[in-house]
């Protein structure tokens, strides 16, 4: 089986690009936000659906970064066409989950405003035995994602593991942080969270094209 693939690129964007992107996110009209339990989000590019996504044109400020990331080749020559903007206040997070089959096999994330710790868990179906497993016993490793970084998760990392963010105000850097050497943190650090905005940039392969048939 292919090893889990993770690319972590610190300082993928500059501070002024970060400020520009945050400004664009907060410029969006209020109805663009969906409030969820523990975070709020903006969906751009269309609503992904098993039958296909009715694609919507991305605004230029997102298209630019879709292009920049796609040019790395992480979507196998395709160009990202979907962006999820998540906003987490300190103490907020996202339950362990898999992203599902709509975007397979690559997910890329640009972080703005704050670091977070992304935690990975073995999925129940890949557990060695069928004893009930606690979240703690399924815990695999964490990745520290810093502001302005790019994270790319591919293939097995995407399929075999759940990912989540704990709803805490502070993260402790342990030896389970797999990308510590690529980050500016050190073992034993306590990192206090501020508001983090993440851009989850993906390629949705199955797209419905709205065809206009007006007359002939
Ligand atoms: O904010 C993040 O980095 C993770 C978001 C996420 O996992 C998702 O939207 O599916
Ligand atoms: Fe996710």
């Amino acid at each position: 089986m292919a090893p889990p693939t993770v690319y972590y690129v610190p300082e993928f964007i500059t501070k002024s690009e970060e400020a520009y992107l945050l400004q664009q996110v907060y410029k969006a009209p209020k109805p663009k936000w969906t409030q969820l339990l523990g975070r709020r989000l903006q969906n751009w590019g269309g609503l992904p659906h098993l039958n296909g996504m009715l694609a919507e044109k991305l605004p230029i400020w997102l298209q630019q970064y879709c292009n920049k990331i796609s040019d790395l080749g992480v979507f196998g020559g395709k160009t990202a066409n979907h962006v999820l903007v998540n906003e987490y206040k300190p103490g907020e997070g996202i339950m362990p989950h898999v992203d599902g089959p709509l975007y397979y096999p690559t997910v890329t994330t640009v972080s703005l405003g704050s670091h977070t710790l992304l935690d990975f868990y073995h999925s129940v179906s890949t557990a060695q035995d069928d004893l009930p497993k606690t979240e703690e016993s399924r815990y695999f490793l964490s990745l520290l994602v810093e502001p302005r970084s790019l994270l790319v998760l591919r293939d097995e990392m995407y399929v075999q593991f759940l990912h989540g963010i704990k709803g805490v105000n502070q993260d402790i850097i342990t030896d389970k942080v797999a990308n510590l050497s690529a980050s500016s943190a050190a073992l034993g650090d306590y990192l206090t969270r501020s508001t983090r905005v993440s851009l989850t940039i993906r390629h949705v392969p199955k797209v419905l094209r709205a065809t206009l048939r007006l007359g002939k």
Side-chain angles (χ1 to χ4, degrees):
M1 194 174 288
T5 308
V6 175
Y7 304 108
Y8 178 71
V9 186
E11 304 298 338
F12 178 70
I13 59 168
T14 64
K15 284 195 172 179
S16 62
E17 287 178 282
E18 179 186 32
Y20 165 74
L21 284 168
L22 283 169
Q23 189 188 52
Q24 295 301 315
V25 166
Y26 288 116
K27 246 206 240 171
K30 212 165 174 213
K32 190 72 195 166
W33 287 104
T34 303
Q35 183 68 52
L36 300 176
L37 217 62
R39 67 187 161 113
R40 54 177 191 156
L41 65 82
Q42 296 175 6
N43 183 84
W44 295 95
L47 280 179
H49 188 273
L50 279 173
N51 295 335
M53 177 174 79
L54 193 55
E56 289 165 10
K57 198 172 156 49
L58 287 166
I60 184 70
W61 57 277
L62 287 175
Q63 188 63 55
Q64 233 174 304
Y65 289 91
C66 284
N67 295 346
K68 182 172 171 173
I69 293 168
S70 305
D71 286 348
L72 302 172
V74 294
F75 300 107
K78 300 282 198 283
T79 302
N81 56 358
H82 188 262
V83 183
L84 211 56
V85 176
N86 280 296
E87 182 206 55
Y88 308 85
K89 302 263 166 56
E92 296 186 330
I94 185 169
M95 296 274 288
H97 65 279
V98 287
D99 288 2
L102 299 168
Y103 316 93
Y104 181 80
T106 303
V107 50
T108 70
T109 309
V110 176
S111 293
L112 311 171
S114 176
H115 80 280
T116 202
L117 213 55
L118 196 58
D119 303 314
F120 291 83
Y121 302 87
H122 293 277
S123 66
V124 179
S125 58
T126 57
Q128 302 303 309
D129 51 57
D130 41 35
L131 291 171
K133 296 277 183 199
T134 61
E135 188 168 289
E136 204 185 334
S137 71
R138 292 195 284 119
Y139 173 64
F140 173 45
L141 54 76
S142 297
L143 295 172
L144 174 64
V145 289
E146 295 165 295
R148 300 176 296 285
S149 70
L150 172 71
L151 181 70
V152 180
L153 305 178
R154 294 192 70 179
D155 310 322
E156 301 310 323
M157 202 61 190
Y158 190 94
V159 178
Q160 300 273 321
F161 301 97
L162 290 85
H163 56 275
I165 296 170
K166 287 206 172 78
V168 298
N169 291 302
Q170 202 173 48
D171 297 293
I172 307 163
I173 304 306
T174 68
D175 60 3
K176 295 294 260 182
V177 177
N179 64 330
L180 188 56
S181 63
S183 77
S184 57
L187 204 61
D189 279 356
Y190 284 75
L191 303 180
T192 300
R193 289 188 194 171
S194 47
T195 297
R196 171 173 175 266
V197 170
S198 64
L199 309 181
T200 299
I201 297 175
R202 297 182 268 211
H203 174 67
V204 176
K206 206 168 165 190
V207 165
L208 300 169
R209 273 168 236 285
T211 42
L212 277 178
R213 289 180 208 277
L214 301 171
K216 285 213 248 181

